[in-house]
Amino acid sequence: MEDGGQARCKGYEVMNKSRAHHIFAADGRTVIVALDHAAYFGPMVGLEQPGEVLQAVVEAGADAVLTTAGIAARFGDCLGHAGLILRADGGSTVRDPQPAGLRQILSVGRALRLGADALACMGMIGFPDESASLRVLTDLANECSRWGLLLLAEMLAQGHGEEKPTAEDIAFAARVGAELGADFIKTLYVGPPEAYRLVIETCYVPVVVLGGEKATD
């Protein structure tokens, strides 16, 4: 499962209740499964039949699914009671020799027609796409607020030089996402727990930890 995480309760109550209850459990925690990879990577092992995968993760108890408009349009009836989060940004694939930067690729109107509870976009702090990603994030925050959708910002941070990002880097990115209007944040976990507490204590909207690298059982 690519995406699994627990969201903090602080800030949960101020979100759109009717939408939030489709994504977060009564205790304010959530497990979200990401099925949006093929829009960038194309066909992937294990995701050849998205309808079957979607049905399996929902039956296993996932609170919500993060996926694409294409999958939602074709397999939305497999969602059951799970919440629907749609990827709203993109614009290139892994084969693009000259990526033009992130842009909004899904309208709020279409997302609502597909039954979305939230939209998702990137926030690329310290990356070449930073300005473009934050522009999309801000525009989506305004649109989602207008139409009553939640916004999930996937906030990533570049480490210094060749180093991996620290908890301080993640805290910086998460706070920026909250300040620009995201209702909840998806970001990396950087241990140990004592260090990561900085992320939780300085971000006033719920934080969902994204899945780690693929590993054996």
Side-chain angles (χ1 to χ4, degrees):
M1 184 168 63
E2 179 66 17
D3 247 344
Q6 294 183 332
R8 299 170 52 238
C9 292
K10 188 168 69 173
Y12 166 74
E13 286 78 7
V14 302
M15 290 193 289
N16 183 311
K17 291 289 186 68
S18 61
R19 304 288 186 187
H21 287 172
H22 291 164
I23 297 173
F24 294 89
D27 62 358
R29 298 175 184 270
T30 185
V31 173
I32 301 169
V33 176
L35 295 173
D36 60 338
H37 308 76
Y40 182 75
F41 292 105
M44 299 179 67
V45 176
L47 298 179
E48 297 91 345
Q49 302 297 326
E52 295 178 6
V53 178
L54 185 59
Q55 186 169 355
V57 299
V58 169
E59 290 177 353
D63 295 296
V65 173
L66 165 59
T67 190
T68 62
I71 288 180
R74 179 65 179 84
F75 304 105
D77 57 348
C78 298
L79 277 170
H81 296 294
L84 175 60
I85 306 170
L86 291 179
R87 172 63 61 183
D89 61 346
S92 64
T93 72
V94 68
R95 295 189 178 186
D96 190 342
Q98 293 182 316
L102 288 166
R103 60 183 183 272
Q104 183 175 341
I105 60 173
L106 177 66
S107 70
V108 171
R110 188 182 183 200
L112 287 169
R113 289 192 294 273
L114 291 171
D117 298 295
L119 297 184
C121 67
M122 303 298 299
M124 308 290 291
I125 303 301
F127 293 88
D129 266 349
E130 177 174 319
S131 294
S133 68
L134 297 186
R135 189 178 306 115
V136 172
L137 195 167
T138 304
D139 289 344
L140 284 171
N142 291 330
E143 288 191 60
C144 286
S145 176
R146 179 184 179 189
W147 293 103
L149 282 176
L150 301 178
L151 180 63
L152 167 63
E154 184 169 347
M155 302 301 298
L156 303 182
Q158 184 74 277
H160 298 285
E162 299 297 322
E163 298 179 4
K164 292 184 177 181
T166 63
E168 288 79 8
D169 296 325
I170 301 301
F172 183 98
R175 182 58 180 262
V176 168
E179 294 291 332
L180 294 181
D183 295 290
F184 56 120
I185 303 294
K186 169 185 174 183
T187 193
L188 294 166
Y189 172 76
V190 177
E194 293 74 18
Y196 200 75
R197 187 171 291 114
L198 176 67
V199 179
I200 304 303
E201 292 178 347
T202 59
C203 185
Y204 51 81
V205 300
V207 174
V208 179
V209 175
L210 64 83
E213 298 177 358
K214 185 182 293 184
T216 65
D217 290 343

